[in-house]
């Protein structure tokens, strides 16, 4: 339609610049979708088959990082060819970057916390951990937060990574043995014989459980309930 219409030169330049920007963004979209599809088809199966959990955590971060880089380059190139002075814009962003960094301090801390988790590996995907009162299995280790599936109520909990570097983390998978403490309630109308029988039933159950180390348990009275 542009070739059949008459515009002022300045207006025509703006329209052509806008069209060029749209083409650049389309090309960026094509690159992102193509690479993402190739990763999903060929890289993800290899990562799932590998024994290491480090690549399971790094792959999602690498995919997001690649997308961000492609889109940033596309926007900069598109705006530059559309006639905007990108250098001036970037200089302005550099001056405002200090204020932005101060405002985004928590986000930056989360990113460094995520890198610390990936490098030091206090836990990995699939481990059961206890942190800040949340007991669950690690579902995802992201660049800004880590997600747990809670052990008891099956909730999905998102924990900022900077808290992980500042808080004690108990990793149950690092323990050779785990001590469990639980209470069994008995009613007041039970006879002595029934109480003794109940204790023997618990002992038999523990002795017949393969993962319980024999002779390491204690069964004792704790308190009178309501």
């Amino acid at each position: 339609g542009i070739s059949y219409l008459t515009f002022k030169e300045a207006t025509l330049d703006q329209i052509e610049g806008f069209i060029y920007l749209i083409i650049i963004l389309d090309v960026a979209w094509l690159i992102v979708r193509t690479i993402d599809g190739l990763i999903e088809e060929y890289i993800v199966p290899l990562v799932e088959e590998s024994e290491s959990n480090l690549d399971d955590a790094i792959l999602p971060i690498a995919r997001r990082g690649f997308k961000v880089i492609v889109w940033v380059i596309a926007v900069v190139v598109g705006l530059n060819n559309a006639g905007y002075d990108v250098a001036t814009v970037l200089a302005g962003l550099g001056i405002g970057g200090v204020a932005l960094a101060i405002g985004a301090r928590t986000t930056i801390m989360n990113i460094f916390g995520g890198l610390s988790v990936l490098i030091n590996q206090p836990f990995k995907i699939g481990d059961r951990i206890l942190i800040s009162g949340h007991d669950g299995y690690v579902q995802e280790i992201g660049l800004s937060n880590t997600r747990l599936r809670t052990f008891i109520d099956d909730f999905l909990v998102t924990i900022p990574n900077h808290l992980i570097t500042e808080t004690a983390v108990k990793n149950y998978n690092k323990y050779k043995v785990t001590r469990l403490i639980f209470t069994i309630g008995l009613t007041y109308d039970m006879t002595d014989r029934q109480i003794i029988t109940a204790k023997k039933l618990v002992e038999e159950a523990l002795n017949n459980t393969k993962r319980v180390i024999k002779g390491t348990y204690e069964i004792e009275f704790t308190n009178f309930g309501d």
Side-chain angles (χ1 to χ4, degrees):
I2 294 176
S3 61
Y4 289 96
L5 298 173
T6 302
F7 298 97
K8 293 181 180 180
E9 185 175 352
T11 305
L12 184 61
D13 290 340
Q14 291 177 350
I15 294 174
E16 290 178 346
F18 177 75
I19 293 174
Y20 189 86
L21 176 62
I22 295 299
I23 293 174
I24 290 293
L25 295 179
D26 276 341
V27 172
W29 177 85
L30 177 63
I31 293 174
V32 168
R33 291 298 300 271
T34 301
I35 299 299
D36 203 46
L38 292 173
I39 292 174
E40 188 69 32
E41 184 70 22
Y42 298 105
I43 306 299
V44 171
L46 294 176
V47 170
E48 291 177 347
E49 292 175 3
S50 67
E51 296 181 358
S52 173
N53 287 292
L54 181 60
D55 48 10
D56 293 334
I58 292 178
L59 182 60
I61 296 174
R63 292 175 73 172
R64 294 192 193 104
F66 168 76
K67 293 177 182 178
V68 170
I69 291 172
V70 171
W71 282 114
V72 169
I73 293 174
V75 171
V76 170
V77 173
L79 290 176
N80 187 61
N81 285 275
Y84 292 96
D85 189 355
V86 179
T88 304
V89 175
L90 292 178
L93 290 176
I95 296 172
V98 177
L100 181 63
I102 295 174
R105 184 172 62 90
T106 303
T107 302
I108 296 172
M109 290 171 61
N110 285 334
I111 293 174
F112 279 102
L115 293 175
S116 175
V117 170
L118 292 175
I119 294 172
N120 298 321
Q121 288 192 288
F123 53 82
K124 57 183 182 293
I125 295 175
D127 282 0
R128 180 186 171 190
I129 65 174
L130 175 64
I131 177 173
S132 300
H134 301 292
D135 182 356
Y137 294 96
V138 180
Q139 296 281 301
E140 179 184 346
I141 302 174
L143 197 57
S144 61
N145 55 65
T146 295
R147 293 182 178 179
L148 302 181
R149 180 69 66 178
T150 55
F151 179 68
I152 297 177
D153 43 24
D154 199 37
F155 289 155
L156 187 63
V157 179
T158 301
I159 301 175
N161 283 334
H162 80 273
L163 291 180
I164 296 176
T165 59
E166 300 170 358
T167 309
V169 180
K170 180 183 288 186
N171 189 335
Y172 291 102
N173 289 64
K174 300 295 184 180
Y175 288 78
K176 293 183 179 179
V177 295
T178 302
R179 184 183 183 191
L180 300 177
I181 301 175
F182 52 93
T183 304
I184 298 175
L186 304 179
T187 60
Y188 280 107
D189 59 356
M190 292 181 67
T191 64
D192 294 349
R193 182 178 296 277
Q194 288 176 321
I195 294 175
I196 293 172
T197 301
K199 181 178 179 181
K200 289 181 178 179
L201 289 173
V202 173
E203 290 177 344
E204 290 176 4
L206 293 173
N207 288 329
N208 292 329
T209 303
K210 294 181 179 179
R211 298 182 65 181
V212 174
I213 301 175
K214 303 299 183 292
T216 60
Y217 58 81
E218 297 178 358
I219 305 174
E220 57 186 10
F221 173 80
T222 55
N223 65 287
F224 289 105
D226 293 335

